[in-house]
Amino acid sequence: MNQDPLIVIYFVYGLAFFSMGLLVAMEGGRSTDARLRMALRPLAGFGLVHAAHEWMEMFNVMGHFNKIVSAIYPLVALSILAFSFLSLAAFGAYLVLGSESTWRVSLIIPLALEAIWVYGLLTFKGIYPIEDMYVIADVWTRYSIAIPAGLLAAAGLVVQQRAFRRAGLVSFGRDSLWASVAFGWYSLVGQIFTAPSHLAPSTFLNSTLFLDIFGFPVQLLRAVTAMFASVFVIRFLRAFQVESDHKIAELQEARLHESQNREQLRGELFRKVVGAQESERQRIARDLHDETGQSLTAIGMGLRGLSDETNEKKKNATLGQLQSLTSDALKELQRIIADLRPAHLDDLGLSATLRWYATRVHELTSIHVRIDIAGDEPVLDDAVKITIFRIMQEALNNIIKHADATNVNVHLDYHENKIKIFIRDNGRGFDMDAVQSRIGRTSLGLAGMEERAMLLGGAVDVRSRPNYGTEVEAVIPYHLKKVEGS
């Protein structure tokens, strides 16, 4: 047979697997599937090493090896051929059995094939003449490793086809299936027709028979199936780009969704802040109108009447009433100012302010408020002090309005980098789910506590159920405030 066609066949054959191995080595690491990513490493090795074997065959046919290289060539070629097919077996085993927990088990298959191959070579060495051993070793390598490895790779690609279909990558699943068919033909037909040797069934089922039946060498069939397998493997490598695009799209969608939620929450918080401001302004206006305004009006009327009064006794009585009204107006004005910002926070600190406010609540409502403080109060920023005070104030206001409680326990714990405040009442409690479903999220008071804590990187947790009472727990981080002159 003219050797020129074989040279071209070996070149194309090697080029097909070399291209596949190179692209798999470059692109295989991009897969999000750990099992496939692991399996593609030995496939890349198979492509590159087997391409080297076929190109060595090409140079051997061309007669480019000198005597020294020709002497060691059979052993080197056999070793490369066996290693390449063992890599292909590892690829199939990883796909069929491999996972993060069982990948070591999948290594047993190529190791078992290698053991069978070595055992066969050692056995045949004592049966056949040494001059026939290279051809017999080549035939045995294809029987014991190449055919099982190719079938295992075909089975693994069928498994991968199902994985692609489950992921919605149907077209890439078809590519994987066609690659499976190509490897099946490559192993069953391409490797069963070996060189003629004394090892059955190559005595009759060999490359000579193939040439007589089909009119072209079996190497051409191997090259064609190698090309088809490489093309379809390279085609399904594009799935990694699609996966990356999908992942980027999902991340962008998640980011957009998060941004929309942030904007929605920001708008909701803005509406609540505006509503809270308006409610506070209305309360201040009502208090000034109902208490201080009426007192000042009465004082003004009393002063006008006093200017017309001639009776000294009545003047003194009117002056006493005006003095009492003035004192009441000042007390009410001090109460309003204290609600806006207690001066005790600046003068006495957080702990003393909480005790003062607890006493004030008890005087106004008869609810007993017990304050327990653990740890020494550090030098705190104004924002931390006012936040904790407002959380306690809002919690007590809710208890006064809704809880029908008689006792409230407040625990304040100073830790190294955070402050915990825990407030529990013995009131009637409420159904958290029912309240949230009725008003959308949480009440304005609860939302205000949450918002204040979140601004400082803290959190508020409210727990309640009917006939149990209500618990409010807040954790506020802080950084030590530098004292002037220190």
Side-chain angles (χ1 to χ4, degrees):
M1 177 182 173
N2 188 353
Q3 299 299 311
D4 291 340
L6 274 181
I7 294 172
V8 176
I9 290 172
Y10 281 132
F11 175 77
V12 175
Y13 187 1
L15 182 62
F17 275 144
F18 177 80
S19 302
M20 181 192 72
L22 184 61
L23 286 174
V24 169
M26 294 173 60
E27 300 293 326
R30 298 177 58 189
S31 174
T32 58
D33 184 351
R35 178 186 58 87
L36 179 58
R37 194 166 58 244
M38 186 179 295
L40 288 175
R41 296 172 187 169
L43 180 63
F46 163 75
L48 296 174
V49 175
H50 201 77
H53 176 270
E54 299 310 314
W55 285 338
M56 286 176 64
E57 289 281 4
M58 178 186 69
F59 287 120
N60 185 46
V61 170
M62 296 171 66
H64 287 181
F65 294 149
N66 56 33
K67 290 183 179 182
I68 298 176
V69 175
S70 298
I72 63 172
Y73 167 74
L75 181 61
V76 174
L78 183 67
S79 301
I80 292 176
L81 182 67
F83 180 80
S84 68
F85 282 126
L86 287 172
S87 299
L88 184 62
F91 163 70
Y94 277 134
L95 286 183
V96 174
L97 302 174
S99 68
E100 292 184 3
S101 59
T102 62
W103 68 271
R104 287 185 176 88
V105 177
S106 62
L107 288 175
I108 294 176
I109 294 179
L111 290 176
L113 292 178
E114 182 181 16
I116 293 171
W117 175 68
V118 171
Y119 177 78
L121 292 179
L122 294 175
T123 302
F124 300 146
K125 185 178 179 182
I127 298 176
Y128 300 102
I130 191 67
E131 59 269 16
D132 296 334
M133 272 305 297
Y134 171 69
V135 177
I136 290 174
D138 181 85
V139 172
W140 175 241
T141 301
R142 297 182 188 276
Y143 285 168
S144 62
I145 303 179
I147 294 176
L151 293 177
L152 194 58
L157 287 166
V158 171
V159 173
Q160 185 58 38
Q161 181 252 350
R162 294 172 181 171
F164 278 137
R165 290 185 63 182
R166 286 194 299 270
L169 304 172
V170 179
S171 62
F172 301 110
R174 284 196 296 267
D175 293 333
S176 181
L177 185 60
W178 281 112
S180 172
V181 172
F183 271 112
W185 274 82
Y186 178 77
S187 61
L188 273 180
V189 182
Q191 304 303 321
I192 200 69
F193 289 95
T194 65
S197 75
H198 297 295
L199 184 64
S202 67
T203 52
F204 66 93
L205 194 64
N206 50 47
S207 57
T208 302
L209 176 64
F210 186 91
L211 183 61
D212 292 340
I213 294 174
F214 297 103
F216 58 87
V218 70
Q219 288 86 350
L220 179 59
L221 175 67
R222 294 173 187 169
V224 171
T225 53
M227 290 171 59
F228 273 96
S230 301
V231 166
F232 287 114
V233 167
I234 291 170
R235 280 171 62 91
F236 80 61
L237 289 178
R238 294 177 301 146
F240 305 152
Q241 181 62 45
V242 175
E243 286 180 340
S244 299
D245 293 342
H246 285 175
K247 186 66 69 176
I248 292 173
E250 289 175 1
L251 290 174
Q252 289 176 340
E253 184 177 355
R255 184 174 296 176
L256 178 62
H257 183 66
E258 183 182 355
S259 176
Q260 291 173 345
N261 287 342
R262 231 181 359 251
E263 290 298 324
Q264 183 179 358
L265 180 60
R266 185 177 299 167
E268 185 178 347
L269 293 177
F270 179 75
R271 288 192 297 272
K272 287 182 177 180
V273 168
V274 171
Q277 289 177 341
E278 291 302 319
S279 297
E280 186 68 8
R281 288 170 179 172
Q282 289 176 1
R283 185 188 66 80
I284 295 171
R286 184 172 60 251
D287 289 348
L288 289 174
H289 178 271
D290 295 343
E291 302 292 340
T292 310
Q294 292 181 7
S295 297
L296 291 175
T297 300
I299 291 172
M301 293 176 62
L303 288 173
R304 285 195 297 272
L306 188 64
S307 62
D308 299 330
E309 184 61 57
T310 57
N311 189 312
E312 194 68 28
K313 187 176 181 180
K314 287 185 177 181
K315 276 187 178 184
N316 292 334
T318 302
L319 285 172
Q321 293 176 353
L322 293 177
Q323 185 179 7
S324 177
L325 286 173
T326 302
S327 177
D328 291 342
L330 285 173
K331 288 180 180 178
E332 185 60 27
L333 192 58
Q334 289 172 352
R335 181 188 68 79
I336 294 173
I337 293 172
D339 286 342
L340 291 176
R341 179 177 174 87
H344 301 71
L345 280 175
D346 301 319
D347 299 335
L348 303 177
L350 179 61
S351 301
T353 302
L354 296 184
R355 293 186 188 279
W356 161 79
Y357 192 74
T359 303
R360 185 164 172 263
V361 169
H362 177 65
E363 292 173 352
L364 295 174
T365 64
S366 298
I367 297 175
H368 178 69
V369 182
R370 176 178 174 176
I371 304 288
D372 294 319
I373 299 175
D376 297 327
E377 179 178 345
V379 180
L380 299 172
D381 290 334
D382 290 343
V384 175
K385 291 191 290 187
I386 195 65
T387 295
I388 294 176
F389 175 77
R390 292 304 183 199
I391 288 174
M392 176 181 167
Q393 184 183 44
E394 187 58 48
L396 292 177
N397 286 341
N398 288 336
I399 292 170
I400 294 168
K401 293 177 184 177
H402 309 295
D404 291 334
T406 58
N407 289 287
V408 179
N409 293 322
V410 179
H411 298 274
L412 184 69
D413 294 333
Y414 292 108
H415 295 270
E416 184 176 356
N417 295 312
K418 61 186 176 183
I419 300 173
K420 288 185 179 180
I421 183 169
F422 179 80
I423 305 166
R424 190 185 191 287
D425 65 68
N426 65 343
R428 59 187 179 184
F430 60 92
D431 187 338
M432 294 284 296
D433 295 334
V435 171
Q436 291 182 7
S437 63
R438 185 171 68 250
I439 59 178
R441 272 175 54 87
T442 54
S443 69
L444 187 60
L446 299 181
M449 289 190 288
E450 292 176 354
E451 291 158 12
R452 287 183 183 276
M454 287 172 58
L455 288 174
L456 296 181
V460 173
D461 182 28
V462 180
R463 299 180 292 273
S464 184
R465 64 174 184 265
N467 302 319
Y468 171 77
T470 302
E471 295 177 349
V472 177
E473 184 175 11
V475 179
I476 308 298
Y478 70 90
H479 301 285
L480 291 176
K481 181 179 179 181
K482 294 183 179 180
V483 181
E484 293 182 6
S486 62

